[in-house]
Amino acid sequence: MYRKEVASLRSSLSLSFSYLLLFFGVFALSTSAIFVKLADAPATVSAFYRMLFATIVLLPFLLLSVKSRQELTRLTKKWGLGLSIISMGILGEVVGTCFLAYIILNEVISFKQGVGIFLILSGLAIFMVKQ
């Protein structure tokens, strides 16, 4: 009888923690647009910090859970994509953001951004040729 009560308590605590995490995620997504607008930062800087903080928050969950690591390994084998290729492909997001900001928002690409785009595309080309 005692084991059933402990299992029930663990289940309810796990469910409560899940709801707490869900609430925190919804709250963060709901308020993110406000903070982006208040920051008045360029789109590339905003994208960088979003990815950085998302990685910092989510990485411990991925690394500490054996089940998550196994699932990630299974998915990468199923898709035939290595983690290195996926992580290199994410670099293209910055380039896409710059080009879309130029096309849609008529933002001028500065010299530094142009050099950065060139370096990213060069690095991607070298990486893909070696693959």
Side-chain angles (χ1 to χ4, degrees), residues 46-109:
S46 176
F48 168 77
Y49 281 113
R50 278 196 335 252
M51 293 295 158
L52 176 69
F53 291 130
T55 301
I56 290 170
V57 169
L58 295 175
L59 194 59
F61 292 104
L62 178 67
L63 295 178
L64 294 176
S65 171
V66 174
K67 187 176 179 181
S68 295
R69 286 189 305 229
Q70 291 171 345
E71 183 70 19
L72 184 62
T73 304
R74 187 184 68 77
L75 285 175
T76 54
K77 287 180 182 176
K78 182 178 178 181
W79 291 342
L81 298 175
L83 291 178
S84 58
I85 293 175
I86 293 171
S87 62
M88 290 300 289
I90 290 173
L91 290 174
E93 180 182 336
V94 177
V95 176
T97 302
C98 284
F99 284 131
L100 287 176
Y102 174 75
I103 292 169
I104 296 173
L105 303 174
N106 295 325
E107 286 189 12
V108 178
I109 298 176

Side-chain angles (χ1 to χ4, degrees), residues 1-12:
M1 187 71 175
Y2 176 73
R3 289 183 183 177
K4 288 182 182 179
E5 291 173 359
V6 170
S8 175
L9 181 62
R10 284 183 184 163
S11 176
S12 68

Side-chain angles (χ1 to χ4, degrees), residues 88 91 117-129:
M88 290 300 289
L91 290 174
I117 290 170
F118 174 75
L119 289 174
I120 288 172
L121 292 178
S122 299
L124 285 172
I126 291 170
F127 179 79
M128 291 301 176
V129 166

